[in-house]
Amino acid sequence: MIQLFKPTFFKCSIMIITLALSVSCKNEKKQEAPQKTETKPNIVFIYLDDLGYGDISANGATEISTPNIDKLANGGVRFTNGYATSATCTPSRFGILTGIYPWRNKDAAILPGTAPLIISTEQTTVPKMLKQQGYQTAIVGKWHLGLGRGNVNWNERVSPGPNEVGFEESYIMAATQDRVPTVYIRNGHVDGLDPNDPIEISYKTNFEGEPTGKDNPELLSMEWHHGHNNSIVNGIPRIGYMKGGEAAKWNDVDMADHFLKEAQTYVKKHKENPFFLYYALQQPHVPRTPHPRFVGKSGMGPRGDVILEADWVIGEFIKTLETEGILENTLIVLSSDNGPVLNDGYNDDAVEKLGNHSPTGGLRGGKYSLFDAGTHVPFITYWKGTIEPTVSDAVVCQLDLFSSLAHLTGSTEKTDDSEQLLNAFLGKSNQGRKNLILEAGQKTALRSGDWVLIPPYEGKPVNKQVNIELGISNEYQLYNLKEDRAQKNDLANTNKEKLAELTATYHKLRGKSDIEIKELELK
């Protein structure tokens, strides 16, 4: 919270006013008036990858325990209606950092590791905005917003990237853990690269003599299910082909510890002045590679184990803030880039060992889906001593952090898409958004109050590879989430008035779409 201390003025009231007493009174006033001070909090985004609304015990999970995430949830604002912008990773990351709907950017889709940067270097971003307000800025973890301009030489400085869109320090993986290049990148340079063993990357053709998951199953420690059968690193088949860079390749089971250490080091280095840290964890995205300390601990296979691992690193990170004496001056936002998925390309027992656990928390759909579980995610704000513990039903989106943090820190920056909801994020108000456009695969839907409208689209209703309903139908769909959280009762044919109202709102907000949708015919 920004603390403003107002000076106290002392009145000198006496029967006889002399010059000496007048001077004395003025001096007293000058000496005792407190200085006007302003304290800006550190700001940390803890961003998980594919964590569902029901994957944390604070949101009702009973088969898995996440005590460190729960500590934040129970000590801050736990949102029951918190949203990512999108049901997949790249678009959501674009939205949280720019304050702009990702469907406005045609390139904001799941990117290969060789994709060019999709955030313009001229564009205002959260780190740029905070940097202007005196913040040091950094990212540690997953990036997946493209690097370079489309023809990257991984053996030289890779640019533009995070450092060119507002982050003064960056330590990242380029895309996802299941995609090449499987190396860490520090401020544009591949960490630990041997110049005598240059990296080559392709998403089209393999390099001569390099084994693949498809052709060399005997080399695998993890079996692929779909789409993940190219270059093999650490016994795990990936998406894309890679040659060279052996000394720089990461060790998957150490990744969580590795990023944690980087985040802790950053905090210790910059604790004396305000900082913004975007700490983007890889869990529970595939390939799920828990450190041996966590293997088998959840009873739900690697997916459950890496959720426990993520909870642990979050706890260790919070301890660092506390040890360094800055926890009470740090605003923490914890969320996920999209909803959950079980089998997302590897046979890792995520389906077979699920048991009674519901990653969606009873919501319909999941990652990739227009149904609510695609974008309705864990969302927590925590600021020890400033935010009073509460549960909020306000509809909020990661998109809104841009304008809200600008307001908090005294910036005048804003975007048309990002709403200023600081009071909701600080637990002072239960008023959130009235309307929100949500996206999955560049198809969009509307959340308006308690209602959800999904327009008609062409396409398959179920992604059979991951066994998730996508929310696609050739007819309009209308749901009341307050009465029907699981979206089982489509009211499009029985509530024509609400359907017409939301259709008009949707078209007003969405504008022209590149995707053809049917016009509603009311009779």
Side-chain angles (χ1 to χ4, degrees), residues 88-271:
T88 51
C89 48
T90 295
S92 290
R93 291 163 198 274
F94 178 87
I96 196 173
L97 291 180
T98 65
I100 295 174
Y101 278 126
W103 47 262
R104 298 191 190 279
N105 183 337
K106 63 180 178 59
D107 296 321
I110 301 175
L111 299 177
T114 53
L117 180 67
I118 65 169
I119 298 177
S120 168
T121 55
E122 304 301 315
Q123 190 166 349
T124 302
T125 61
V126 170
K128 276 187 181 180
M129 177 267 290
L130 292 175
K131 187 177 176 182
Q132 291 170 354
Q133 296 307 109
Y135 280 73
Q136 214 287 341
T137 60
I139 173 176
V140 171
K142 176 179 172 178
W143 177 238
H144 209 190
L145 287 162
L147 293 168
R149 302 196 183 279
N151 187 23
V152 170
N153 181 348
W154 300 95
N155 307 289
E156 299 176 352
R157 186 173 187 277
V158 180
S159 177
N163 298 82
E164 286 69 41
V165 297
F167 289 106
E168 294 174 273
E169 297 184 25
S170 65
Y171 194 84
I172 63 169
M173 59 175 169
T176 54
Q177 194 180 340
D178 57 347
R179 286 175 170 80
V180 299
T182 53
V183 295
Y184 299 118
I185 302 170
R186 187 187 298 279
N187 296 322
H189 297 278
V190 172
D191 195 18
L193 179 65
D194 179 354
N196 296 315
D197 183 24
I199 294 174
E200 296 180 73
I201 301 292
S202 173
Y203 272 72
K204 294 181 180 179
T205 56
N206 192 21
F207 301 99
E208 185 176 354
E210 293 295 312
T212 67
K214 184 177 182 180
D215 297 332
N216 304 93
E218 73 281 1
L219 300 178
L220 302 182
S221 60
M222 184 179 293
E223 181 183 349
W224 61 278
H225 179 268
H226 63 271
H228 297 71
N229 57 15
N230 300 152
S231 287
I232 304 169
V233 179
N234 302 329
I236 302 170
R238 316 283 170 153
I239 300 173
Y241 303 98
M242 177 175 176
K243 181 180 180 181
E246 290 299 323
K249 289 179 179 177
W250 64 51
N251 184 358
D252 291 85
V253 299
D254 291 333
M255 183 176 285
D257 287 355
H258 195 74
F259 281 142
L260 171 62
K261 183 178 179 180
E262 289 290 330
Q264 291 172 319
T265 300
Y266 175 79
V267 165
K268 294 173 184 178
K269 179 180 177 183
H270 294 285
K271 65 180 180 179

Side-chain angles (χ1 to χ4, degrees), residues 216-353:
N216 304 93
E218 73 281 1
L219 300 178
L220 302 182
S221 60
M222 184 179 293
E223 181 183 349
W224 61 278
H225 179 268
H226 63 271
H228 297 71
N229 57 15
N230 300 152
S231 287
I232 304 169
V233 179
N234 302 329
I236 302 170
R238 316 283 170 153
I239 300 173
Y241 303 98
M242 177 175 176
K243 181 180 180 181
E246 290 299 323
K249 289 179 179 177
W250 64 51
N251 184 358
D252 291 85
V253 299
D254 291 333
M255 183 176 285
D257 287 355
H258 195 74
F259 281 142
L260 171 62
K261 183 178 179 180
E262 289 290 330
Q264 291 172 319
T265 300
Y266 175 79
V267 165
K268 294 173 184 178
K269 179 180 177 183
H270 294 285
K271 65 180 180 179
E272 299 300 329
N273 296 294
F275 62 79
F276 166 59
L277 173 62
Y278 174 42
Y279 182 18
L281 281 65
Q282 83 275 19
Q283 298 103 326
H285 193 283
V286 296
R288 294 147 186 158
T289 54
H291 188 277
R293 299 191 308 273
F294 298 95
V295 172
K297 297 298 184 182
S298 70
M300 291 192 290
R303 185 177 186 273
D305 295 345
V306 297
I307 292 175
L308 297 185
E309 180 180 57
D311 183 72
W312 178 83
V313 299
I314 290 167
E316 293 301 297
F317 178 75
I318 301 304
K319 286 180 186 176
T320 300
L321 295 176
E322 197 163 23
T323 300
E324 299 302 321
I326 58 175
L327 182 60
E328 292 188 3
N329 191 40
T330 302
L331 170 61
I332 300 170
V333 179
L334 182 145
S335 197
S336 175
D337 61 352
N338 50 249
V341 58
L342 296 178
N343 181 339
D344 204 22
Y346 297 97
N347 292 318
D348 63 359
D349 291 331
V351 176
E352 292 80 0
K353 293 185 177 181

Side-chain angles (χ1 to χ4, degrees), residues 26-45:
K26 288 178 181 177
N27 286 340
E28 181 183 357
K29 169 184 170 182
K30 183 177 180 180
Q31 291 168 1
E32 293 191 11
Q35 294 296 310
K36 180 180 180 181
T37 61
E38 181 178 287
T39 302
K40 292 181 179 179
N42 306 308
I43 299 169
V44 178
F45 289 176

Side-chain angles (χ1 to χ4, degrees), residues 8-71:
T8 303
F9 295 94
F10 295 89
K11 295 182 179 180
C12 294
S13 177
I14 55 177
M15 295 291 291
I16 302 173
I17 302 176
T18 65
L19 179 61
L21 281 176
S22 177
V23 171
S24 174
C25 188
K26 288 178 181 177
N27 286 340
E28 181 183 357
K29 169 184 170 182
K30 183 177 180 180
Q31 291 168 1
E32 293 191 11
Q35 294 296 310
K36 180 180 180 181
T37 61
E38 181 178 287
T39 302
K40 292 181 179 179
N42 306 308
I43 299 169
V44 178
F45 289 176
I46 299 177
Y47 210 43
L48 290 103
D49 197 347
D50 295 355
L51 188 76
Y53 182 84
D55 275 327
I56 63 174
S57 40
N59 282 347
T62 57
E63 306 302 301
I64 195 168
S65 178
T66 53
N68 295 298
I69 295 175
D70 292 358
K71 181 179 178 181

Side-chain angles (χ1 to χ4, degrees), residues 318-441:
I318 301 304
K319 286 180 186 176
T320 300
L321 295 176
E322 197 163 23
T323 300
E324 299 302 321
I326 58 175
L327 182 60
E328 292 188 3
N329 191 40
T330 302
L331 170 61
I332 300 170
V333 179
L334 182 145
S335 197
S336 175
D337 61 352
N338 50 249
V341 58
L342 296 178
N343 181 339
D344 204 22
Y346 297 97
N347 292 318
D348 63 359
D349 291 331
V351 176
E352 292 80 0
K353 293 185 177 181
L354 184 63
N356 294 322
H357 179 59
S358 172
T360 68
L363 304 175
R364 189 175 181 181
K367 184 178 180 179
Y368 311 112
S369 178
L370 283 170
F371 284 130
D372 207 39
T375 50
H376 191 158
V377 292
F379 204 129
I380 298 161
T381 55
Y382 176 91
W383 187 352
K384 185 177 180 180
T386 295
I387 292 178
E388 294 293 329
T390 189
V391 176
S392 176
D393 295 329
V395 176
V396 297
C397 182
Q398 294 163 11
L399 193 74
D400 303 320
L401 291 168
F402 183 104
S403 293
S404 302
L405 294 177
H407 187 70
L408 173 66
T409 58
S411 172
T412 57
E413 295 281 1
K414 60 181 181 179
T415 75
D416 291 339
D417 296 334
S418 176
E419 294 193 13
Q420 198 282 92
L421 300 176
L422 182 61
N423 282 340
F425 287 129
L426 296 183
K428 296 180 178 180
S429 170
N430 205 35
Q431 296 300 310
R433 278 179 164 265
K434 292 183 178 179
N435 297 301
L436 175 63
I437 299 292
L438 299 164
E439 182 263 341

Side-chain angles (χ1 to χ4, degrees), residues 478-497:
L478 180 68
Y479 300 96
N480 185 315
L481 292 181
K482 187 174 183 179
E483 299 175 356
D484 177 27
R485 190 168 175 271
Q487 292 178 290
K488 297 299 184 184
N489 186 18
D490 183 359
L491 303 175
N493 291 324
T494 58
N495 196 334
K496 295 289 187 179
E497 184 177 350

